[in-house]
Amino acid sequence: MNPAMSSWVALRRRTEFRPGRSILVLGATGNAGRMAVQIARHLGADGIVAAGRDPKRLVLLTDLGATDVVSLAGDPAQSADKLAEAAAHVDVVIDYTWGAPTERAIPALLSRRTDRSAPLDWIQIGSMAGPDITLPSSVLRAANLRIMGSGQGSVTAAGIIAELPSLMTELSKGTLTVAALPRPLAQVEDAWTAPTEPGQRVVLTVTA
Ligand SMILES: NC(=O)c1ccc[n+]([C@@H]2O[C@H](COP(=O)([O-])OP(=O)(O)OC[C@H]3O[C@@H](n4cnc5c(N)ncnc54)[C@H](OP(=O)(O)O)[C@@H]3O)[C@@H](O)[C@H]2O)c1
């Protein structure tokens, strides 16, 4: 629920994500990012650009709905360039990284945008690559960039709770898939460090 909720709530409460819109998921190789790709597809996204570092996890995202994948591994300037080429015209960014990748991505994307007055909703959700960015003021003047966050506080508790039943329905229907690897809580010490297949998520279970 938690990784899925992050983009479900953002796309339904922080922006108006209609079918036909396009999206970039920064940090798509993570647990929340994998769900964001699937949720964007479920909500009718036309284009879904998935960006992340882990090559084995990155290739799995096409089957989940990504229409383009971009590697954030390697030279940062080259990655930002590739990202801009693939995602310059998206309507929404779901950002799990922040920090250096975001700091490079924002100016790179906006400078490639043909219609800079077209709104770009940049929704900050996680900060895996760092808590801060530096943003030149000229970027904000030269494009219709709307930076916002999504989480408790930017969405009311009542608003988040109201989203849970519909998300649970989709999870139960199998619309959103998780490659869960159940391990008993009693084996947590081994499970914590045991290697997993790319995309697998260890889920600790407790039996009464
Ligand atoms: N606000 C909310 O409602 C909410 C809800 C759930 C989660 N979150 C937050 O969302 C974030 C992601 O959660 P998660 O469960 O998906 O974590 P995760 O499974 O560990 O995934 C982390 C993602 O960030 C990428 N990443 C990490 N460090 C990076 C760096 N230095 N440069 C570029 N990419 C980097 C990883 O890329 P690679 O694996 O490819 O290296 C991966 O795509 C966390 O900050 C979490 O707290 C927020």
Side-chain angles (χ1 to χ4, degrees):
M1 284 296 279
N2 185 269
M5 254 172 60
S6 65
S7 55
W8 184 267
V9 170
L11 292 175
R12 288 162 54 97
R13 294 270 163 174
R14 298 296 283 147
T15 185
E16 202 186 332
F17 195 78
R18 293 193 297 270
R21 297 219 154 166
S22 58
I23 186 169
L24 161 65
V25 181
L26 264 182
T29 40
N31 289 309
R34 276 172 62 88
M35 301 307 284
V37 167
Q38 296 179 69
I39 285 168
R41 177 174 69 174
H42 172 69
L43 295 178
D46 201 21
I48 303 172
V49 182
R53 295 181 305 185
D54 186 313
K56 290 184 182 155
R57 288 171 180 247
L58 208 49
V59 293
L60 299 175
L61 297 171
T62 308
D63 281 348
L64 298 180
T67 52
D68 208 346
V69 292
V70 176
S71 170
L72 297 177
D75 179 68
Q78 279 181 8
S79 297
D81 210 42
K82 282 187 284 176
L83 202 55
E85 200 177 315
H89 303 294
V90 297
D91 303 296
V92 175
V93 178
I94 292 287
D95 185 350
Y96 294 105
T97 66
W98 208 243
T102 299
E103 190 168 301
R104 286 183 181 273
I106 292 178
L109 254 73
L110 291 176
S111 60
R112 291 276 188 103
R113 216 163 161 80
T114 319
D115 178 5
R116 294 207 198 164
S117 67
L120 172 58
D121 286 347
W122 201 287
I123 312 182
Q124 204 298 312
I125 298 187
S127 44
M128 297 300 295
D132 306 306
I133 63 166
T134 298
L135 187 63
S137 57
S138 57
V139 167
L140 291 171
R141 289 194 298 275
N144 192 358
L145 174 65
R146 308 189 295 203
I147 299 181
M148 65 196 86
S150 183
Q152 288 178 34
S154 53
V155 181
T156 61
I160 292 175
I161 290 167
E163 291 297 337
L164 300 184
S166 51
L167 174 57
M168 185 55 95
T169 301
E170 296 308 328
L171 285 166
S172 318
K173 282 199 296 197
T175 310
L176 312 168
T177 59
V178 179
L181 180 63
R183 297 285 303 270
L185 182 60
Q187 293 174 15
V188 62
E189 284 182 45
D190 289 339
W192 207 259
T193 50
T196 52
E197 292 296 314
Q200 254 184 350
R201 182 176 171 94
V202 172
V203 177
L204 298 170
T205 57
V206 186
T207 39

